Amino acid sequence: MATQAHSLSYAGCNFLRQRLVLSTLSGRPVKIRKIRARDDNPGLRDFEASFIRLLDKITNGSRIEINQTGTTLYYQPGLLYGGSVEHDCSVLRSIGYYLESLLCLAPFMKHPLRIVLRGVTNDQTDPSVDVLKATALPLLKQFGIDGESFELKIVRRGMPPGGGGEVFFSCPVRKVLKPIQLTDPGKIKRIRGMAYSVRVSPQMANRIVDSARSILNKFIPDIYIYTDHMKGVNSGKSPGFGLSLVAETTNGTFLSAELASNPPGQGTAVLPEDLGRNCARLLLEEIYRGGCVDSTNQSLALLLMTLGQQDVSKVLLGPLSPYTIEFLRHLKSFFQIMFKIETRPCGEELKGGDKVLMTCVGIGFSNLSKTLK
């Protein structure tokens, strides 16, 4: 299948995950040149090499060629195999970096995926495991990916720079995906959160909760923020604390925001009070942007709509992030699919930022790897 498909060529290190994930799903080989070619330290970084190793573990028959300096990568995808896998992620990026791509690929494996990822669970750049658990899993359920074996569990927490966290993710396989119609986000009905602290005083988490509530209580009474203080071996190798907040609407939409403390020795120390307040403000900003899918999961929703049955899917999103805009361009080159994009200016009844209604007809992607029972 992959040999007849014509290969795509890109330059630069940006959007590496997008290209490799779409290449794996479409079966089209991809060649990426000039990866940080002019940098003092050229080529692929450790976390990108770790990501490629992970793809190699969950596929069967992938061919990966990297040149001497690491500035050129050729990837010919194999079949998604799945099964039980363990992977040590690079501590330069969090587990969320790897998990985001696994969420795109997991439903299309030959065998249900059961994977243990080790590394950093919460950091300042990637979506944390807490947020993905609260927002991405309900989104996948909308597409009909559900079952007893569908879970994401934090076994241990790990903060940068040491890491030491551990996460277990399992996902059932599906032959086809359901089309979706998510056009009415509904009103916010409750806010849930998780304040965590590792290798610092457990009082830190309580201070974060108090300061976040001081802002959110003005808007809605139904707020519950759990505190999670892990001890001993479960607390990883580095100290830190943080907060993730999720707002749930009457129609089952989840909007999220999160913040983590600065790693020791990098930047100024953050007060837990400031962190709580800033995170609450970020959540309010995300609610203002609105939509039926929050900004971290926009690309996941659009990918699953593309791969759905040959039927119309619609989703109402907040303003598109630059990452999502680039993702739409990639969807066009890998799957030849175009979305109809209609802007919805915020009327009085919506209250919030301008929305975008995305409509597409699925390509009728069928999971060829799945064994016939």
Side-chain angles (χ1 to χ4, degrees), residues 297-323:
N297 294 306
Q298 283 176 351
S299 54
L300 176 63
L302 296 178
L303 174 69
L304 295 173
M305 283 165 67
T306 304
L307 298 174
Q309 298 168 27
Q310 288 179 330
D311 201 347
V312 177
S313 284
K314 289 184 181 187
V315 67
L316 187 73
L317 300 177
L320 298 179
S321 65
Y323 186 81

mmCIF file of all heavy atoms in Angstrom, residues 297-323:
data_model
loop_
_atom_site.group_PDB
_atom_site.id
_atom_site.type_symbol
_atom_site.label_atom_id
_atom_site.label_comp_id
_atom_site.label_asym_id
_atom_site.label_seq_id
_atom_site.Cartn_x
_atom_site.Cartn_y
_atom_site.Cartn_z
ATOM 1 N N ASN A 297 -7.196 20.509 22.039
ATOM 2 C CA ASN A 297 -7.672 19.318 21.332
ATOM 3 C C ASN A 297 -8.295 19.604 19.966
ATOM 4 O O ASN A 297 -8.902 18.715 19.375
ATOM 5 C CB ASN A 297 -8.706 18.583 22.194
ATOM 6 C CG ASN A 297 -8.075 18.015 23.442
ATOM 7 O OD1 ASN A 297 -7.099 17.278 23.379
ATOM 8 N ND2 ASN A 297 -8.608 18.372 24.596
ATOM 9 N N GLN A 298 -8.133 20.843 19.476
ATOM 10 C CA GLN A 298 -8.741 21.178 18.180
ATOM 11 C C GLN A 298 -8.284 20.228 17.074
ATOM 12 O O GLN A 298 -9.094 19.695 16.314
ATOM 13 C CB GLN A 298 -8.388 22.617 17.787
ATOM 14 C CG GLN A 298 -9.194 23.655 18.536
ATOM 15 C CD GLN A 298 -8.759 25.082 18.193
ATOM 16 O OE1 GLN A 298 -7.759 25.293 17.519
ATOM 17 N NE2 GLN A 298 -9.499 26.051 18.666
ATOM 18 N N SER A 299 -6.971 19.990 17.010
ATOM 19 C CA SER A 299 -6.451 19.182 15.898
ATOM 20 C C SER A 299 -6.901 17.723 16.017
ATOM 21 O O SER A 299 -7.150 17.064 15.010
ATOM 22 C CB SER A 299 -4.923 19.282 15.814
ATOM 23 O OG SER A 299 -4.354 18.954 17.044
ATOM 24 N N LEU A 300 -7.016 17.210 17.251
ATOM 25 C CA LEU A 300 -7.486 15.835 17.451
ATOM 26 C C LEU A 300 -8.916 15.681 16.926
ATOM 27 O O LEU A 300 -9.243 14.722 16.214
ATOM 28 C CB LEU A 300 -7.425 15.469 18.942
ATOM 29 C CG LEU A 300 -7.971 14.102 19.346
ATOM 30 C CD1 LEU A 300 -7.181 12.976 18.703
ATOM 31 C CD2 LEU A 300 -7.977 13.931 20.861
ATOM 32 N N ALA A 301 -9.779 16.659 17.241
ATOM 33 C CA ALA A 301 -11.173 16.608 16.789
ATOM 34 C C ALA A 301 -11.246 16.649 15.263
ATOM 35 O O ALA A 301 -11.984 15.881 14.643
ATOM 36 C CB ALA A 301 -11.961 17.773 17.384
ATOM 37 N N LEU A 302 -10.439 17.533 14.647
ATOM 38 C CA LEU A 302 -10.481 17.670 13.188
ATOM 39 C C LEU A 302 -9.967 16.404 12.497
ATOM 40 O O LEU A 302 -10.491 15.994 11.466
ATOM 41 C CB LEU A 302 -9.658 18.888 12.741
ATOM 42 C CG LEU A 302 -10.187 20.240 13.234
ATOM 43 C CD1 LEU A 302 -9.278 21.365 12.788
ATOM 44 C CD2 LEU A 302 -11.608 20.495 12.759
ATOM 45 N N LEU A 303 -8.950 15.764 13.101
ATOM 46 C CA LEU A 303 -8.422 14.527 12.517
ATOM 47 C C LEU A 303 -9.478 13.422 12.558
ATOM 48 O O LEU A 303 -9.709 12.728 11.568
ATOM 49 C CB LEU A 303 -7.174 14.073 13.281
ATOM 50 C CG LEU A 303 -6.629 12.710 12.843
ATOM 51 C CD1 LEU A 303 -6.034 12.801 11.449
ATOM 52 C CD2 LEU A 303 -5.593 12.180 13.809
ATOM 53 N N LEU A 304 -10.151 13.275 13.713
ATOM 54 C CA LEU A 304 -11.143 12.208 13.839
ATOM 55 C C LEU A 304 -12.365 12.467 12.943
ATOM 56 O O LEU A 304 -12.995 11.535 12.469
ATOM 57 C CB LEU A 304 -11.565 12.049 15.307
ATOM 58 C CG LEU A 304 -10.433 11.584 16.252
ATOM 59 C CD1 LEU A 304 -10.891 11.608 17.695
ATOM 60 C CD2 LEU A 304 -9.939 10.204 15.883
ATOM 61 N N MET A 305 -12.676 13.756 12.714
ATOM 62 C CA MET A 305 -13.753 14.079 11.767
ATOM 63 C C MET A 305 -13.352 13.666 10.349
ATOM 64 O O MET A 305 -14.154 13.108 9.596
ATOM 65 C CB MET A 305 -14.053 15.587 11.790
ATOM 66 C CG MET A 305 -14.858 16.037 12.993
ATOM 67 S SD MET A 305 -14.800 17.820 13.194
ATOM 68 C CE MET A 305 -15.702 18.390 11.770
ATOM 69 N N THR A 306 -12.105 13.927 9.999
ATOM 70 C CA THR A 306 -11.592 13.575 8.671
ATOM 71 C C THR A 306 -11.665 12.070 8.441
ATOM 72 O O THR A 306 -12.021 11.606 7.364
ATOM 73 C CB THR A 306 -10.112 14.021 8.534
ATOM 74 O OG1 THR A 306 -10.038 15.414 8.796
ATOM 75 C CG2 THR A 306 -9.565 13.728 7.169
ATOM 76 N N LEU A 307 -11.307 11.308 9.494
ATOM 77 C CA LEU A 307 -11.224 9.855 9.342
ATOM 78 C C LEU A 307 -12.572 9.170 9.537
ATOM 79 O O LEU A 307 -12.658 7.949 9.505
ATOM 80 C CB LEU A 307 -10.222 9.289 10.358
ATOM 81 C CG LEU A 307 -8.775 9.783 10.221
ATOM 82 C CD1 LEU A 307 -7.937 9.275 11.358
ATOM 83 C CD2 LEU A 307 -8.185 9.356 8.898
ATOM 84 N N GLY A 308 -13.638 9.956 9.769
ATOM 85 C CA GLY A 308 -14.950 9.362 10.035
ATOM 86 C C GLY A 308 -15.568 8.728 8.792
ATOM 87 O O GLY A 308 -14.981 8.729 7.715
ATOM 88 N N GLN A 309 -16.788 8.181 8.971
ATOM 89 C CA GLN A 309 -17.500 7.593 7.832
ATOM 90 C C GLN A 309 -17.820 8.691 6.813
ATOM 91 O O GLN A 309 -17.731 9.862 7.120
ATOM 92 C CB GLN A 309 -18.803 6.952 8.318
ATOM 93 C CG GLN A 309 -18.578 5.824 9.285
ATOM 94 C CD GLN A 309 -19.869 5.409 9.966
ATOM 95 O OE1 GLN A 309 -20.945 5.568 9.424
ATOM 96 N NE2 GLN A 309 -19.753 4.871 11.165
ATOM 97 N N GLN A 310 -18.233 8.257 5.624
ATOM 98 C CA GLN A 310 -18.503 9.248 4.568
ATOM 99 C C GLN A 310 -19.832 9.936 4.860
ATOM 100 O O GLN A 310 -20.840 9.680 4.223
ATOM 101 C CB GLN A 310 -18.496 8.573 3.211
ATOM 102 C CG GLN A 310 -17.078 8.181 2.819
ATOM 103 C CD GLN A 310 -17.028 7.490 1.491
ATOM 104 O OE1 GLN A 310 -17.968 6.821 1.098
ATOM 105 N NE2 GLN A 310 -15.919 7.622 0.787
ATOM 106 N N ASP A 311 -19.781 10.799 5.848
ATOM 107 C CA ASP A 311 -20.965 11.498 6.308
ATOM 108 C C ASP A 311 -20.499 12.867 6.807
ATOM 109 O O ASP A 311 -19.319 13.066 7.076
ATOM 110 C CB ASP A 311 -21.602 10.691 7.450
ATOM 111 C CG ASP A 311 -23.070 11.059 7.642
ATOM 112 O OD1 ASP A 311 -23.487 12.077 7.064
ATOM 113 O OD2 ASP A 311 -23.772 10.341 8.372
ATOM 114 N N VAL A 312 -21.441 13.789 6.956
ATOM 115 C CA VAL A 312 -21.060 15.155 7.329
ATOM 116 C C VAL A 312 -20.811 15.251 8.840
ATOM 117 O O VAL A 312 -21.617 14.785 9.638
ATOM 118 C CB VAL A 312 -22.163 16.150 6.921
ATOM 119 C CG1 VAL A 312 -21.801 17.557 7.366
ATOM 120 C CG2 VAL A 312 -22.359 16.112 5.424
ATOM 121 N N SER A 313 -19.679 15.816 9.222
ATOM 122 C CA SER A 313 -19.380 16.117 10.621
ATOM 123 C C SER A 313 -19.257 17.626 10.779
ATOM 124 O O SER A 313 -18.697 18.295 9.908
ATOM 125 C CB SER A 313 -18.056 15.484 11.043
ATOM 126 O OG SER A 313 -18.212 14.106 11.240
ATOM 127 N N LYS A 314 -19.766 18.141 11.896
ATOM 128 C CA LYS A 314 -19.652 19.576 12.151
ATOM 129 C C LYS A 314 -19.142 19.779 13.562
ATOM 130 O O LYS A 314 -19.537 19.054 14.476
ATOM 131 C CB LYS A 314 -21.022 20.262 12.052
ATOM 132 C CG LYS A 314 -21.580 20.358 10.666
ATOM 133 C CD LYS A 314 -22.876 21.139 10.690
ATOM 134 C CE LYS A 314 -23.457 21.221 9.279
ATOM 135 N NZ LYS A 314 -24.610 22.085 9.196
ATOM 136 N N VAL A 315 -18.289 20.775 13.749
ATOM 137 C CA VAL A 315 -17.862 21.125 15.107
ATOM 138 C C VAL A 315 -17.688 22.639 15.195
ATOM 139 O O VAL A 315 -17.220 23.268 14.251
ATOM 140 C CB VAL A 315 -16.577 20.364 15.518
ATOM 141 C CG1 VAL A 315 -15.380 20.807 14.713
ATOM 142 C CG2 VAL A 315 -16.287 20.516 17.000
ATOM 143 N N LEU A 316 -18.120 23.202 16.299
ATOM 144 C CA LEU A 316 -17.960 24.645 16.527
ATOM 145 C C LEU A 316 -16.730 24.852 17.407
ATOM 146 O O LEU A 316 -16.644 24.300 18.500
ATOM 147 C CB LEU A 316 -19.204 25.200 17.239
ATOM 148 C CG LEU A 316 -19.242 26.723 17.397
ATOM 149 C CD1 LEU A 316 -19.532 27.383 16.065
ATOM 150 C CD2 LEU A 316 -20.293 27.123 18.416
ATOM 151 N N LEU A 317 -15.755 25.604 16.894
ATOM 152 C CA LEU A 317 -14.510 25.827 17.639
ATOM 153 C C LEU A 317 -14.374 27.303 17.979
ATOM 154 O O LEU A 317 -14.978 28.164 17.343
ATOM 155 C CB LEU A 317 -13.305 25.406 16.794
ATOM 156 C CG LEU A 317 -13.232 23.948 16.348
ATOM 157 C CD1 LEU A 317 -12.018 23.733 15.470
ATOM 158 C CD2 LEU A 317 -13.183 22.999 17.531
ATOM 159 N N GLY A 318 -13.544 27.577 18.981
ATOM 160 C CA GLY A 318 -13.149 28.954 19.253
ATOM 161 C C GLY A 318 -12.157 29.374 18.175
ATOM 162 O O GLY A 318 -11.972 28.667 17.182
ATOM 163 N N PRO A 319 -11.475 30.520 18.339
ATOM 164 C CA PRO A 319 -10.480 30.941 17.340
ATOM 165 C C PRO A 319 -9.446 29.825 17.124
ATOM 166 O O PRO A 319 -8.994 29.207 18.087
ATOM 167 C CB PRO A 319 -9.826 32.161 17.986
ATOM 168 C CG PRO A 319 -10.808 32.644 18.999
ATOM 169 C CD PRO A 319 -11.570 31.460 19.462
ATOM 170 N N LEU A 320 -9.096 29.548 15.866
ATOM 171 C CA LEU A 320 -8.161 28.461 15.571
ATOM 172 C C LEU A 320 -6.751 28.834 16.007
ATOM 173 O O LEU A 320 -6.280 29.933 15.748
ATOM 174 C CB LEU A 320 -8.167 28.163 14.068
ATOM 175 C CG LEU A 320 -9.490 27.696 13.462
ATOM 176 C CD1 LEU A 320 -9.336 27.464 11.967
ATOM 177 C CD2 LEU A 320 -9.991 26.431 14.125
ATOM 178 N N SER A 321 -6.070 27.882 16.654
ATOM 179 C CA SER A 321 -4.679 28.147 17.058
ATOM 180 C C SER A 321 -3.778 27.972 15.830
ATOM 181 O O SER A 321 -4.142 27.268 14.889
ATOM 182 C CB SER A 321 -4.263 27.168 18.160
ATOM 183 O OG SER A 321 -4.241 25.856 17.654
ATOM 184 N N PRO A 322 -2.588 28.590 15.823
ATOM 185 C CA PRO A 322 -1.679 28.457 14.668
ATOM 186 C C PRO A 322 -1.346 26.989 14.371
ATOM 187 O O PRO A 322 -1.197 26.585 13.223
ATOM 188 C CB PRO A 322 -0.416 29.211 15.119
ATOM 189 C CG PRO A 322 -0.879 30.145 16.179
ATOM 190 C CD PRO A 322 -2.055 29.512 16.843
ATOM 191 N N TYR A 323 -1.263 26.179 15.432
ATOM 192 C CA TYR A 323 -0.969 24.748 15.283
ATOM 193 C C TYR A 323 -2.084 24.066 14.487
ATOM 194 O O TYR A 323 -1.840 23.252 13.596
ATOM 195 C CB TYR A 323 -0.850 24.129 16.686
ATOM 196 C CG TYR A 323 -0.398 22.677 16.712
ATOM 197 C CD1 TYR A 323 0.941 22.350 16.601
ATOM 198 C CD2 TYR A 323 -1.314 21.643 16.875
ATOM 199 C CE1 TYR A 323 1.366 21.035 16.642
ATOM 200 C CE2 TYR A 323 -0.904 20.324 16.917
ATOM 201 C CZ TYR A 323 0.434 20.023 16.802
ATOM 202 O OH TYR A 323 0.845 18.708 16.834
#
